[in-house]
Amino acid sequence: MKIAEIIKRIPEIKVRKGDAFLDINYIWADTRKLSPNDIFVLPEGQAENYPKFIESAKNLGVHSILVSSSQLKIPGIEGFTNILEAEGYVGDVHGKIASLLSGNPSKKLKLVGITGTNGKTSLTFILFHIASTLGKKCGLIGTVHIRILDKILETGYTTPDSSSLNLILKDMVDAGVEYVFIEMSSHGLKLGRTSGLELQGAAFTNLTQDHLDFHSTMEDYLDSKFKLFQILESSSLTNKFGIVASDVPGGDLMITKLIAAELKSPIYLMGNSGEFNYSHTKLSLTGSEFRLHRKEKDVPFIEVRKVKTNLLGNFNIFNVSLAAFISFELGLPWENILHSIESIPTVPGRFQVIPSSDNSRIAVIDYAHTPDALENILKSCKEILPKQLICLFGCGGDRDRTKRPMMARIAEEYSDFVILTSDNPRTEDPKSILGEVESGFSRGFRRYETVVDRRSAIEQGISMLEKDGILVVAGKGHETYQIIGKTKTDFNDYEEVKKAFQNWEKDR
């Protein structure tokens, strides 16, 4: 496609220098993927490497570069034959160009974006299960992996960069996929990775403290999440919709922003005052029972249905309920949806239960790495009424430090015993991280132990676990590595817990 045609479709671009009739193949911020007829974009947040990236692009024979007005004076930019200037944020323009040059694949799909601090992964997995069970061809993009029908691909980010994302969506179209469920992280939304997508649906789960190392303020974090609904608003698809969980942390803030924005897209609420809700929850170690409330459109009454699912915990009741309502708004048959949620495959690293061989005690693996997520998992375990609840967790290095003492206070409140251990310390000293976590315990609290080595900590937790007790192993979930310094080594909580149970059973 010629530059002139791109500008005609995306008027936020203007030619500062060069030939508007040059043919363009694609757009990349990754120099390893560039070809001469591509547009190069400087990757966000890597200013110290810009001279090296610019030189690499030129050596590859790349003629065109997209920059913001503030980047025009970066040394080396003037050496490109074509300089395109983006009005506004260059990441958003990058996303729109990637979508255009890949053939607008999202427009050919029913794409549902999910955002929120917690619950994104579980929700997308449940949605994939519901739609697949009902015979739909589905794709999934998120933290654990990318899935195209039955094909699994690994991913390095919750939300891939916009160039990669649109090519993934194109592959899904080519594979015959109809429905795609995608996690939209605050990073991805803020950096423009999802800009230019045509959404069928959007959903917000909650907003609690996380990623303040990236966002700096909760207001910026909220603004980034809100961008999902701005993308929905710009979508040209018919029957598009949004669903916001209202009775959750951050729900009122999101609703306030939506009201102020006066969006024309239909936005429904899940909560006490919303079109959708759930109630009468009943928890056990074998499953969960609850009721779903759905207001009939144009009819002054509410349908209430008693349902059950094999998934455990109040937060999973929330996830299953929201997934059911999203599926309904996508036009899937309500009765079939209710039947499909009775048996849902366990989401990797999300309330993943590992019992001892005699089922006398269990461990629960969960990705909970924020204060809110840790509280949710511990409360859900507490509601099952175990005779003992042990919480094992740590906090990541080179990440938001303010949440460390907060998580300690939560673990103290809900647990009978706490084991502090390493969780991707990265370049920080693991003992220093755990010292900051310990500072959150109340004065005189002694029901905890610090075991820096995570494998040893898991072994200790299993050895301490009493009959009818629960060990929560929080923080890593589906991850299959531990990052110490800048080295990533193999480590899998699920496998380590299984080994610890086997060793304990041999020795007792």
Side-chain angles (χ1 to χ4, degrees):
M1 184 178 291
K2 297 187 185 301
I3 290 176
E5 182 64 22
I6 294 173
I7 293 173
K8 183 179 178 181
R9 306 276 192 92
I10 307 172
E12 301 101 301
I13 309 168
K14 61 182 178 182
V15 178
R16 292 288 301 214
K17 170 190 171 184
D19 180 7
F21 294 95
L22 183 75
D23 279 315
I24 295 297
N25 180 41
Y26 201 51
I27 181 169
W28 288 104
D30 187 341
T31 56
R32 295 167 297 182
K33 298 179 179 179
L34 279 170
S35 62
N37 288 334
D38 291 337
I39 297 172
F40 176 50
V41 187
L42 292 170
E44 185 75 24
Q46 300 186 46
E48 69 279 4
N49 293 317
Y50 283 173
K52 180 176 67 175
F53 293 152
I54 289 169
E55 188 65 25
S56 295
K58 288 179 179 177
N59 290 339
L60 290 168
V62 174
H63 307 294
S64 306
I65 187 168
L66 174 71
V67 295
S68 63
S69 57
S70 62
Q71 294 175 326
L72 285 169
K73 294 183 180 179
I74 293 175
I77 295 292
E78 71 284 350
F80 286 90
T81 304
N82 294 284
I83 300 176
L84 308 179
E85 182 183 351
E87 296 180 5
Y89 180 55
V90 71
D92 290 331
V93 177
H94 176 184
K96 292 177 182 179
I97 295 174
S99 179
L100 175 64
L101 294 178
S102 58
N104 292 311
S106 61
K107 198 169 185 177
K108 303 165 188 173
L109 298 161
K110 290 187 176 181
L111 181 64
V112 179
I114 309 296
T115 199
T117 306
N118 302 310
K120 297 186 297 296
T121 299
S122 294
L123 191 51
T124 53
F125 266 75
I126 296 167
L127 284 163
F128 185 97
H129 163 77
I130 292 173
S132 297
T133 301
L134 272 56
K136 305 302 181 182
K137 295 180 178 180
C138 300
L140 182 149
I141 300 171
T143 305
V144 177
H145 57 230
I146 293 166
R147 185 169 179 179
I148 304 175
L149 302 177
D150 292 328
K151 183 180 178 181
I152 303 293
L153 306 173
E154 298 303 319
T155 177
Y157 298 98
T158 298
T159 310
D161 69 272
S162 52
S163 295
S164 299
L165 176 57
N166 278 278
L167 292 182
I168 291 165
L169 293 174
K170 184 176 183 298
D171 287 344
M172 289 183 174
V173 171
D174 294 342
V177 167
E178 305 167 83
Y179 294 80
V180 178
F181 307 106
I182 176 173
E183 295 182 50
M184 292 194 173
S185 67
S186 59
H187 292 67
L189 287 161
K190 182 173 181 176
L191 296 175
R193 294 174 189 165
T194 56
S195 295
L197 297 183
E198 298 271 2
L199 289 179
Q200 188 71 54
F204 167 79
T205 61
N206 50 56
L207 185 82
T208 60
Q209 182 174 327
D210 198 16
H211 304 306
L212 292 187
D213 52 306
F214 176 77
H215 291 288
S216 73
T217 67
M218 287 298 292
E219 183 178 4
D220 182 67
Y221 190 24
L222 173 64
D223 288 343
S224 298
K225 296 293 188 185
F226 175 69
K227 198 171 177 181
L228 171 64
F229 295 98
Q230 294 175 311
I231 296 170
L232 177 72
E233 182 75 356
S234 64
S235 172
S236 63
L237 300 181
T238 57
N239 299 319
K240 61 185 178 179
F241 66 92
I243 299 182
V244 173
S246 57
D247 302 340
V248 297
D252 56 339
L253 298 175
M254 183 60 76
I255 292 168
T256 298
K257 287 192 73 69
L258 287 165
I259 292 171
E262 297 182 344
L263 303 184
K264 295 180 181 177
S265 304
I267 307 292
Y268 306 115
L269 301 182
M270 185 178 85
N272 289 329
S273 61
E275 291 81 2
F276 304 112
N277 200 14
Y278 65 93
S279 68
H280 293 78
T281 59
K282 184 179 178 182
L283 308 175
S284 75
L285 275 176
T286 58
S288 307
E289 295 182 6
F290 53 104
R291 294 180 186 177
L292 290 177
H293 303 242
R294 179 172 61 84
K295 285 184 180 178
E296 294 281 0
K297 292 186 174 90
D298 304 320
V299 179
F301 64 84
I302 300 173
E303 181 192 34
V304 180
R305 293 292 297 273
K306 186 177 181 179
V307 295
K308 59 184 178 180
T309 182
N310 61 304
L311 296 187
L312 309 179
N314 263 318
F315 61 93
N316 266 328
I317 291 177
F318 171 93
N319 291 330
V320 171
S321 300
L322 185 50
F325 297 137
I326 292 170
S327 300
F328 176 74
E329 285 301 319
L330 284 171
L332 301 179
W334 185 237
E335 294 299 326
N336 294 2
I337 293 169
L338 299 183
H339 181 70
S340 72
I341 63 178
E342 291 180 2
S343 180
I344 300 172
T346 301
V347 181
R350 303 319 193 261
F351 212 104
Q352 193 167 8
V353 175
I354 307 174
S356 60
S357 61
D358 60 359
N359 292 312
S360 63
R361 59 212 78 197
I362 66 170
V364 174
I365 309 294
D366 198 87
Y367 189 51
H369 60 283
T370 66
D372 181 63
L374 186 64
E375 183 172 20
N376 285 338
I377 190 80
L378 292 176
K379 283 175 70 175
S380 288
C381 287
K382 202 79 171 174
E383 288 162 350
I384 297 171
L385 302 177
K387 289 193 177 173
Q388 179 195 37
L389 180 57
I390 301 174
C391 175
L392 182 154
F393 80 101
C395 290
D398 304 328
R399 296 294 186 268
D400 180 10
R401 295 170 62 180
T402 63
K403 68 182 181 182
R404 295 173 183 174
M406 297 168 62
M407 294 179 72
R409 287 193 289 273
I410 289 166
E412 175 184 343
E413 179 179 353
Y414 292 100
S415 310
D416 297 307
F417 194 83
V418 181
I419 301 175
L420 301 181
T421 191
S422 295
D423 181 355
N424 296 333
R426 299 183 178 85
T427 62
E428 285 192 68
D429 176 20
K431 291 182 180 178
S432 296
I433 294 173
L434 298 179
E436 291 186 15
V437 176
E438 283 183 44
S439 70
F441 290 134
S442 59
R443 182 181 296 182
F445 180 70
R446 295 291 180 266
R447 291 180 287 104
Y448 79 94
E449 187 168 347
T450 298
V451 183
V452 175
D453 179 73
R454 193 173 182 92
R455 180 174 290 110
S456 299
I458 289 173
E459 291 171 350
Q460 179 161 329
I462 294 295
S463 69
M464 294 175 61
L465 195 56
E466 299 173 1
K467 185 177 183 296
D468 296 322
I470 298 177
L471 169 67
V472 171
V473 181
K476 298 185 68 62
H478 66 282
E479 291 179 351
T480 56
Y481 56 82
Q482 178 83 300
I483 305 173
I484 301 174
K486 294 187 177 180
T487 302
K488 183 184 285 190
T489 56
D490 291 341
F491 194 95
N492 185 313
D493 277 354
Y494 182 82
E495 296 299 329
E496 294 299 331
V497 168
K498 286 204 302 184
K499 289 177 190 174
F501 262 134
Q502 290 167 0
N503 293 335
W504 170 78
E505 287 161 355
K506 285 179 187 176
D507 296 339
R508 66 173 175 157

